[in-house]
Amino acid sequence: MASKLSYVQAVSSVNPSFWNKLTEIKLNVDKLSESPRPVWGYFTLLSKTTVNQPLIELDSTSFNSDFNGQNMYVPFKGKVINKNTVEDFKECNKQDVINTEGKCLCENIVSGEAIKNPVLLNSFLLLTFADLKKYHYYYWFSFPVPSGLVLEKFSAKIISEEFNSDRLKQLYVAFQALDAMNKTYFIIENQNDKLLVHSLSSKLSELTAESTTDIYFAFFNISMDNKSIGSQLRNYAALILHHCPFLKGKTQKFVAVSVTRHGSEVGLDTSVIYNLLLPDVSTDKFDSWVGWEKNERDKMGPRVANMKNTLDPKIIAENSVYLNLKLMKWRIVPDINLEVTENAKCLLIGAGTLGCAVARCLLGWGVRNITFADNGYVSHSNPVRQSLYTYEDALSMKAKSEVAPKNLEKIFPGVNAKGVHICIPMPGHSVGESMLKQTVEAVQVLTDLIKDHDIIFLLTDSRESRWLPTLLGCYHKKIVINSALGFDSYLVMRHGCSSDTSNNPELVQDIEGYKIIDGDNLGCYFCNDVTAPGDSMKNRTLDQQCTVTRPGVAQIAGALAVELAVSILQHEKRIKAPAFYKISSKAEDLDPEIENQCILGLIPHSIRGFLSSFNQMLPATMKYDKCVACSDVILNEYKEKGIDFLLKVFDSSKHLEDVTKLTEMLADFDMDEILEFSDEEIE
Amino acid sequence: MDTGFSYDNFEKCITEIVNVSNKLLDGWKIESKQDCDAKFMTKKHSTYLDGLDGSKTLVTFEYHVAYSLSYGVPVLCFNIWRQDGTMLTIEEYWSLNQSLKDSNMHDTLTQMDHPVLCRPFLTLHPCKTSEFFQPFLENSKNPVVSWLSVVGSFVHLQLLEDYIKCC
């Protein structure tokens, strides 16, 4: 009794390197051309035991002109048609597309081309649209076979029932001697109990109605089980019927070849011999073709591969950067909160040596939002010390606020870097009538910037330019990290924040040998000074105006500023984290409570370093109640009078001393003895 | 790091493996990068991974066994992709491996640059490799085989009996 054959269709499995290569070819070679490009697909010669679907694989070698099966793969020969628009991809008539391909296959059968090159019977078509901006690949495979060709099965038996194992071993050797193209479809002849293997081109034309009794039409069966057959058998039957018309309406023996392994033995033992009834049809009747692959929802429709994470170099860079940080979390500091660092918005006031060093170190921590505020232009002396600028930038005299974010993005495209060109109004730099509007605007811009950011880095080269951001940072309760450089010394400190309740600056609690100052009560950069910041540019020689420093100082201080900021972010109290300082020389070892203040260690108030002795110390100081920048008097004055107060200060820094009543106090001192902050005095 | 296992030893081992593989159609092949002498061994393997919800995902593994100059041991790098070519991340892979739940992912797997191709690959942690590898250096004729037979199970890589005969 004849019964229906059960077919399986190839199941596409695309390697990422295929999409990579397709992209490369589209961009560099094909460009707008939509003409079909030949591609190879391949099956593993050895039947898979772990997967029950016949996987046809494509990878970057699919585009090679010659197939390299390495004796492990059996080829399929296809075409990729890469459409230029998603509309073309979706709207082109799929029946026409597959019919055109089928017609082409039919021509190869009729002309005999498919006898010389049997892999042509394993035709496939891949219709694609590559959205190269998003790295989305729309694709649809089809494996055309004629719909009007019906084969019926009379019998089926495992090959080992017909041939003994010696025969099968010979058969396997002969099969392996065929080249990859001829492994797809070939002829086995049973000649006096010897099994001979012939390529189609060497045997098919000799066949007659009489000689076919000892002939087996063999084909490599892509199916993973021995109950079903790859759908391409119908193409093989079409070829046989066209070139051996005497077989129409006759039964004929076929061998569905499969290669399996048992222990150390590889062979064809699981192949199946079929007795099939060939229909009485002719090739010119094949006008309708079928074979589109179903998608992952088991529907007739295309698939989409979102390859952004795999192929977009920006995403790869981003993932690698965060992987480095994740490794820290996985292996060393499991409790670190990387998100809080990543999402911290950082404002860098000053984009010079310090600004560049801070920005680069922030990148290392995966910080995404970095804004530069600067009023300078790249000069020829800058690039060697300021790591975000090049000679080219100096030649074109570009604004640092413009170049720094651009170059930061060149280093890491995932960063959201901005620049604001701004002159920060300073105490004692008087504002004339003509400058008034500009100054008021600058105050507004700076205020907005500070409100919009979480961490404010003060990295300018003068003392007075830090005054306004110090005041605003304190007023808006931001984390303010200040860094200043001497020739061979540096200061990195965090500013205390304004407290909600006006409590007395008191020491919270003591650990033996240490004093603790609460974050609310820590001083700012100006707290140790008893003069208001004046115009430090006046009456100064060139070497005094510019910061002349040992080149490494800024790198060290910049890195410390970032690490201090990151440690603060990891403390549950953030800016209100207390600071410790040693009061007894007996306290040699750090108390564990101090050492483990946050998961990254302790959080000092300030770090003062001296390159001459390669020494560093961690002083902590309290807020000064007459401080010209962060004291309650000043904050209240600003709260009440706002810009009017600021303008008065810009006109004369003495106003600050009046407000804080420093003037009265200073009257008692001899001014000549009061020096500006100098590192050597700290000890 | 001097482990006493040189690149030449490594190349000898993988050549031996590929020779056995060719007879068994097991899929291992030797590859190299243009303008680079260093060879490595690769193989692809498709299988289903079980998700938490009982779903099965068809994936293809691509294994690379290359020699790490810095660690002085072979490293097992791999990539895994779904049917459409999208790759699995380290976390996705772990979530599809019920059998590995008892081990700590980050002690076992990491992402590293391939020693020859210099592209990121999922990698069996090389620290672990030295640990596993050392004992085989003295006792195995093919330490690469011995090592793979131990660590392969983390990445669905099963080594046939025939390779073990080389050791």
Side-chain angles (χ1 to χ4, degrees):
Chain A
M1 268 306 288
S3 63
K4 272 179 77 181
L5 266 181
S6 78
Y7 294 111
V8 288
Q9 192 174 280
V11 172
S12 62
S13 171
V14 186
N15 292 199
S17 66
F18 179 83
W19 298 128
N20 203 5
K21 195 78 188 174
L22 181 76
T23 308
E24 206 181 297
I25 288 171
K26 181 70 185 164
L27 290 176
N28 302 325
V29 186
D30 284 352
K31 293 172 186 165
L32 283 179
S33 159
E34 286 184 350
S35 40
R37 190 168 265 286
V39 283
W40 297 105
Y42 55 86
F43 283 83
T44 54
L45 191 59
L46 189 76
S47 252
K48 289 187 168 71
T49 51
T50 47
V51 172
N52 56 19
Q53 290 166 291
L55 297 185
I56 178 172
E57 290 192 71
L58 283 84
D59 64 14
S60 59
T61 67
S62 292
F63 293 95
N64 291 356
S65 50
D66 294 320
F67 179 75
N68 181 6
Q70 302 202 342
N71 256 359
M72 293 193 294
Y73 297 109
V74 175
F76 261 52
K77 191 156 177 54
K79 291 172 190 156
V80 56
I81 299 176
N82 193 11
K83 294 287 186 185
N84 282 326
T85 65
V86 72
E87 290 77 19
D88 278 358
F89 173 84
K90 283 183 177 157
E91 285 157 19
C92 66
N93 186 315
K94 303 302 180 298
Q95 191 58 53
D96 289 351
V97 171
I98 198 168
N99 283 349
T100 310
E101 194 50 34
K103 212 176 138 206
C104 181
L105 175 54
C106 212
E107 280 162 15
N108 283 326
I109 289 173
V110 172
S111 70
E113 193 59 34
I115 299 175
K116 276 186 260 168
N117 200 1
V119 72
L120 291 172
L121 298 174
N122 286 345
S123 280
F124 70 94
L125 185 84
L126 171 56
L127 190 65
T128 60
F129 164 68
D131 183 340
L132 298 183
K133 283 210 182 76
K134 294 187 188 146
Y135 293 89
H136 285 182
Y137 297 81
Y138 297 76
Y139 68 102
W140 202 353
F141 276 87
S142 73
F143 303 92
V145 293
S147 68
L149 195 152
V150 180
L151 294 165
E152 284 180 283
K153 175 175 83 174
F154 272 101
S155 67
K157 62 176 166 186
I158 295 288
I159 197 167
S160 52
E161 290 176 20
E162 189 146 331
F163 301 114
N164 67 27
S165 64
D166 286 344
R167 295 278 171 288
L168 289 179
K169 270 182 194 154
Q170 287 163 13
L171 185 64
Y172 177 62
V173 172
F175 168 71
Q176 276 291 32
L178 290 170
D179 66 33
M181 301 301 141
N182 283 308
K183 278 198 178 86
T184 52
Y185 300 93
F186 57 97
I187 288 172
I188 300 171
E189 186 184 3
N190 187 356
Q191 202 182 58
N192 308 324
D193 256 5
K194 245 182 107 182
L195 294 179
L196 304 177
V197 166
H198 305 282
S199 65
L200 292 183
S201 55
S202 66
K203 195 69 185 176
L204 193 68
S205 58
E206 298 172 9
L207 297 180
T208 61
E210 293 71 40
S211 66
T212 51
T213 46
D214 296 325
I215 292 295
Y216 300 79
F217 289 104
F219 59 95
F220 177 77
N221 190 12
I222 59 172
S223 170
M224 292 295 136
D225 59 54
N226 49 23
K227 294 184 182 60
S228 53
I229 290 180
S231 60
Q232 283 69 24
L233 175 65
R234 284 187 264 183
N235 296 337
Y236 193 25
L239 175 101
I240 294 166
L241 287 172
H242 185 81
H243 293 279
C244 306
F246 47 84
L247 287 172
K248 286 181 183 175
K250 301 273 164 53
T251 59
Q252 176 61 40
K253 286 182 280 190
F254 283 78
V255 178
V257 171
S258 57
V259 183
T260 46
R261 185 172 57 207
H262 303 282
S264 308
E265 293 294 319
V266 181
L268 304 175
D269 312 11
T270 52
S271 302
V272 178
I273 298 176
Y274 286 93
N275 249 321
L276 299 180
L277 174 65
L278 293 164
D280 186 2
V281 288
S282 64
T283 40
D284 49 19
K285 292 281 183 310
F286 302 147
D287 44 17
S288 179
W289 296 72
V290 292
W292 287 103
E293 186 182 20
K294 287 182 176 171
N295 63 17
E296 65 279 10
R297 294 181 303 276
D298 211 30
K299 296 264 162 57
M300 278 296 173
R303 299 171 188 240
V304 189
N306 179 352
M307 297 296 291
K308 197 166 179 60
N309 287 333
T310 311
L311 293 183
D312 186 344
K314 286 184 186 171
I315 301 287
I316 295 173
E318 213 159 282
N319 288 343
S320 302
V321 166
Y322 292 112
L323 181 81
N324 247 334
L325 290 164
K326 274 193 217 159
L327 284 176
M328 200 188 283
K329 187 180 171 73
W330 291 343
R331 300 193 69 82
I332 300 162
V333 212
D335 294 326
I336 196 166
N337 185 341
L338 293 173
E339 289 74 27
V340 73
T341 322
E342 192 182 307
N343 296 326
K345 292 181 177 169
C346 295
L347 174 63
L348 279 51
I349 299 178
T353 31
L354 273 170
C356 291
V358 165
R360 296 208 60 150
C361 198
L362 287 173
L363 276 194
W365 272 105
V367 172
R368 280 176 180 273
N369 298 297
I370 298 174
T371 308
F372 296 93
D374 194 280
N375 72 338
Y377 296 86
V378 182
S379 77
H380 280 291
S381 69
N382 293 157
V384 292
R385 283 176 181 237
Q386 307 187 1
S387 60
L388 289 175
Y389 310 119
T390 63
Y391 171 69
E392 300 294 327
D393 298 326
L395 275 186
S396 48
M397 290 262 297
K398 290 211 179 95
K400 288 181 177 177
S401 58
E402 179 196 341
V403 181
K406 267 191 201 158
N407 286 351
L408 209 57
E409 277 168 15
K410 276 189 196 164
I411 293 162
F412 179 54
V415 72
N416 171 25
K418 293 192 201 99
V420 178
H421 194 83
I422 182 175
C423 289
I424 292 168
M426 294 180 267
H429 292 237
S430 54
V431 181
E433 199 55 38
S434 61
M435 295 279 285
L436 185 62
K437 192 169 165 259
Q438 200 184 321
T439 307
V440 173
E441 264 175 30
V443 169
Q444 192 54 51
V445 169
L446 185 68
T447 309
D448 291 343
L449 280 174
I450 286 176
K451 278 191 200 161
D452 282 349
H453 289 77
D454 305 313
I455 308 175
I456 319 298
F457 288 92
L458 305 185
L459 311 166
T460 54
D461 53 5
S462 76
R463 204 170 146 263
E464 59 265 35
S465 58
R466 295 162 200 262
W467 177 79
L468 181 59
T470 298
L471 184 158
L472 293 173
C474 185
Y475 185 79
H476 292 290
K477 300 188 182 0
K478 299 293 180 179
I479 298 174
V480 178
I481 307 287
N482 181 35
S483 181
L485 309 177
F487 163 67
D488 58 2
S489 60
Y490 54 86
L491 161 72
V492 176
M493 71 184 294
R494 57 174 164 132
H495 286 179
C497 72
S498 60
S499 56
D500 301 314
T501 51
S502 72
N503 55 344
N504 292 326
E506 270 177 15
L507 305 175
V508 188
Q509 61 177 114
D510 290 347
I511 291 179
E512 203 190 337
Y514 290 89
K515 286 282 180 197
I516 303 170
I517 306 174
D518 204 52
D520 288 350
N521 292 322
L522 288 168
C524 78
Y525 184 53
F526 295 95
C527 281
N528 288 332
D529 293 330
V530 279
T531 53
D535 188 342
S536 63
M537 298 297 179
K538 263 185 206 161
N539 307 322
R540 285 206 167 182
T541 59
L542 187 64
D543 65 313
Q544 284 173 316
Q545 278 183 35
C546 306
T547 15
V548 177
T549 64
R550 285 176 66 166
V553 174
Q555 308 299 331
I556 299 169
L560 286 173
V562 172
E563 297 301 334
L564 178 60
V566 170
S567 286
I568 294 171
L569 289 178
Q570 295 300 326
H571 193 282
E572 53 177 356
K573 287 187 169 171
R574 308 268 292 238
I575 190 172
K576 298 201 173 179
F580 300 78
Y581 70 95
K582 200 159 55 165
I583 48 169
S584 155
S585 55
K586 282 179 205 152
E588 272 303 311
D589 295 322
L590 273 180
D591 187 278
E593 192 183 326
I594 301 172
E595 205 172 7
N596 304 320
Q597 206 183 345
C598 76
I599 49 168
L600 292 173
L602 62 86
I603 308 172
H605 177 215
S606 65
I607 306 158
R608 287 175 189 269
F610 310 95
L611 270 189
S612 54
S613 55
F614 289 98
N615 194 13
Q616 195 167 274
M617 47 192 286
L618 309 174
T621 51
M622 304 241 288
K623 189 171 267 190
Y624 179 41
D625 65 351
K626 290 188 167 53
C627 174
V628 294
C630 76
S631 59
D632 288 346
V633 219
I634 293 289
L635 294 178
N636 284 332
E637 187 80 359
Y638 169 70
K639 191 179 178 187
E640 277 165 30
K641 300 186 178 144
I643 185 75
D644 291 335
F645 161 65
L646 298 180
L647 287 172
K648 269 189 183 166
V649 176
F650 302 149
D651 270 340
S652 162
S653 53
K654 186 131 182 318
H655 184 64
L656 286 172
E657 293 166 18
D658 292 343
V659 172
T660 53
K661 307 213 164 55
L662 273 171
T663 320
E664 294 159 30
M665 193 181 91
L666 288 173
D668 299 336
F669 291 120
D670 180 354
M671 280 304 286
D672 289 340
E673 283 179 7
I674 296 165
L675 304 170
E676 272 196 7
F677 146 76
S678 128
D679 297 322
E680 285 72 22
E681 284 179 282
I682 317 293
E683 193 40 85
Chain B
M1 209 156 88
D2 185 20
T3 53
F5 187 69
S6 68
Y7 171 78
D8 290 346
N9 294 145
F10 171 76
E11 197 180 312
K12 207 174 127 261
C13 288
I14 61 169
T15 311
E16 203 171 24
I17 292 172
V18 169
N19 286 341
V20 174
S21 169
N22 285 344
K23 281 182 210 133
L24 301 170
L25 301 184
D26 197 35
W28 286 107
K29 53 185 179 179
I30 302 264
E31 287 193 51
S32 59
K33 197 174 96 176
Q34 223 175 359
D35 307 320
C36 180
D37 291 334
K39 295 189 171 72
F40 53 96
M41 169 174 96
T42 68
K43 174 185 169 151
K44 283 198 286 193
H45 170 62
S46 299
T47 189
Y48 301 101
L49 296 179
D50 298 321
L52 273 175
D53 52 357
S55 63
K56 279 187 184 300
T57 309
L58 174 61
V59 295
T60 300
F61 282 83
E62 185 181 55
Y63 307 112
H64 287 231
V65 177
Y67 182 75
S68 161
L69 274 177
S70 21
Y71 293 96
V73 290
V75 283
L76 176 56
C77 307
F78 59 104
N79 273 326
I80 317 164
W81 57 80
R82 300 177 189 86
Q83 230 180 316
D84 63 0
T86 53
M87 299 229 248
L88 267 66
T89 62
I90 195 167
E91 290 92 351
E92 285 169 336
Y93 172 60
W94 206 256
S95 73
L96 290 174
N97 268 283
Q98 301 312 312
S99 59
L100 300 180
K101 279 290 169 287
D102 292 342
S103 13
N104 179 344
M105 169 174 93
H106 301 299
D107 282 347
T108 315
L109 296 180
T110 184
Q111 191 178 318
M112 272 188 17
D113 283 350
H114 188 290
V116 181
L117 297 176
C118 306
R119 282 191 282 114
F121 271 72
L122 303 182
T123 308
L124 215 58
H125 214 285
C127 306
K128 276 264 192 253
T129 302
S130 312
E131 207 176 288
F132 278 130
F133 202 70
Q134 217 60 28
F136 297 131
L137 276 174
E138 290 160 27
N139 307 320
S140 173
K141 272 188 254 163
N142 192 325
V144 177
V145 169
S146 310
W147 160 73
L148 277 179
S149 66
V150 175
V151 298
S153 59
F154 285 107
V155 292
H156 295 249
L157 173 63
Q158 288 244 308
L159 230 49
L160 298 166
E161 284 290 314
D162 297 74
Y163 296 107
I164 314 291
K165 290 174 194 155
C166 308
C167 316

